[in-house]
Amino acid sequence: MKKNIIAGNWKMNKTNEETKQLIEELKPLVKDAECEVVCCVPFTDIVTARKAARGSNIQIGAQNVHWAEKGAFTGEISAEMLKELKVQYVITGHSERRQYFGETDETVNLRTKAALNAGLKVIVCVGELLSERESGKTAEVVTRQTIGALKDITKQELKSIVIAYEPVWAIGTGKTATAKDANDTIKIIRKTVRKLYGRASATSIRIQYGGSMNPQNASELMAMPQIDGGLIGGASLTAEKFAKVVNY
Ligand code: 13P
């Protein structure tokens, strides 16, 4: 049986001191969670978060990774560096990376492969812009992004991948996709995985929804048959709110 996965994406928030406090507050609130619980923190918070989460069911993730093993890539972090810090998950292809940092389907694929090679699990994000949704291109966009992200990734490696469907217009806007819309688009993503890897892989891969997911809408979203988890931005920054989503 696959286990649902709720991950917080802290984005560029929290100092070390704040990280320690948030994880400490979170631990007792999520200790009985039925799903996997992950906090994807800024690079500079990883060591503190790991230390604070020790002995708990909270796993720590990063928010980006470079594809090269090492070298002249100022400001970047390699998969080996993350591995050494005992990071379990890393996010690739977040829409903010695509939008502000020139991330393409190709670089998302390279980053994903580097993370897998180092033995990390990857949360790969896909999702359409508002203009793409309004022009009826949602299916085309998420299909292209999914195929692009998974290029040359084996069936075995796919087991270490979670896909996050995040419609860009729903991120940080308070607008959530309706549970039905999210479910329908995730079905399209799953169908793409089926075409690439077969039915068993498509059934077992976990696909999250992300975009203004919060304590009020989590249970409705999580009740949908295609939705296996959530990637939470704003609501992951306070222990109480994130715990409510985790314990949907
Ligand atoms: P919000 O939950 O703040 O909309 O952010 C979603 C997101 O981008 C998670 O990666």
Side-chain angles (χ1 to χ4, degrees):
M1 267 303 282
K2 61 181 168 181
K3 204 171 181 184
N4 289 336
I5 171 166
I6 304 279
N9 173 11
W10 291 9
K11 309 191 180 181
M12 196 174 73
N13 292 288
K14 306 291 176 189
T15 62
N16 268 276
E17 201 46 47
E18 292 164 343
T19 296
K20 188 163 173 255
Q21 197 183 337
L22 177 49
I23 301 274
E24 291 295 350
E25 277 177 43
L26 198 56
K27 277 197 285 189
L29 301 178
V30 300
K31 68 176 183 359
D32 299 319
E34 284 170 15
C35 60
E36 262 188 67
V37 184
V38 186
C39 292
C40 296
V41 306
F43 292 131
T44 49
D45 292 333
I46 289 171
V47 172
T48 302
R50 278 271 313 152
K51 230 185 251 174
R54 200 172 287 162
S56 78
N57 58 335
I58 301 171
Q59 303 178 78
I60 303 303
Q63 299 171 12
N64 187 25
V65 60
H66 197 262
W67 54 83
E69 272 177 41
K70 59 169 92 165
F73 300 101
T74 302
E76 292 286 330
I77 300 285
S78 77
E80 275 308 316
M81 293 169 182
L82 295 178
K83 189 71 190 163
E84 189 188 40
L85 299 184
K86 302 202 166 54
V87 162
Q88 281 124 321
Y89 280 92
V90 61
I91 296 172
T92 60
H94 193 278
S95 64
E96 286 148 19
R97 302 278 331 159
R98 294 181 192 255
Q99 212 174 337
Y100 308 130
F101 301 99
E103 209 72 71
T104 63
D105 289 342
E106 193 192 353
T107 58
V108 173
N109 174 248
L110 291 173
R111 291 182 198 275
T112 303
K113 285 193 290 194
L116 291 170
N117 279 339
L120 298 169
K121 296 181 202 165
V122 187
I123 298 175
V124 182
C125 303
V126 299
E128 82 285 3
L129 304 168
L130 181 60
S131 56
E132 292 165 335
R133 162 154 295 241
E134 284 173 343
S135 53
K137 291 207 177 111
T138 299
E140 182 189 323
V141 170
V142 298
T143 302
R144 188 203 76 222
Q145 289 178 338
T146 304
I147 293 172
L150 298 177
K151 185 167 174 275
D152 299 330
I153 285 169
T154 66
K155 208 179 213 185
Q156 185 59 30
E157 288 170 329
L158 189 74
K159 291 180 183 162
S160 298
I161 289 188
V162 174
I163 297 176
Y165 167 56
E166 299 204 311
V168 179
W169 48 271
I171 296 176
T173 57
K175 284 187 205 153
T176 327
T178 65
K180 188 183 174 308
D181 280 347
N183 193 69
D184 288 350
T185 308
I186 289 178
K187 204 183 238 174
I188 293 165
I189 296 168
R190 211 177 284 285
K191 203 165 122 192
T192 307
V193 174
R194 174 156 60 79
K195 282 193 188 143
L196 294 171
Y197 296 95
R199 188 173 295 274
S201 299
T203 308
S204 58
I205 193 165
R206 294 176 298 176
I207 308 184
Q208 300 170 310
Y209 168 77
S212 298
M213 196 162 160
N214 60 41
Q216 284 74 45
N217 57 29
S219 60
E220 192 194 353
L221 287 159
M222 290 304 295
M224 300 309 286
Q226 294 287 336
I227 301 181
D228 307 313
L231 187 55
I232 323 299
S236 72
L237 297 175
T238 42
E240 202 192 337
K241 279 192 192 161
F242 188 53
K244 280 191 181 145
V245 177
V246 165
N247 300 316
Y248 57 90

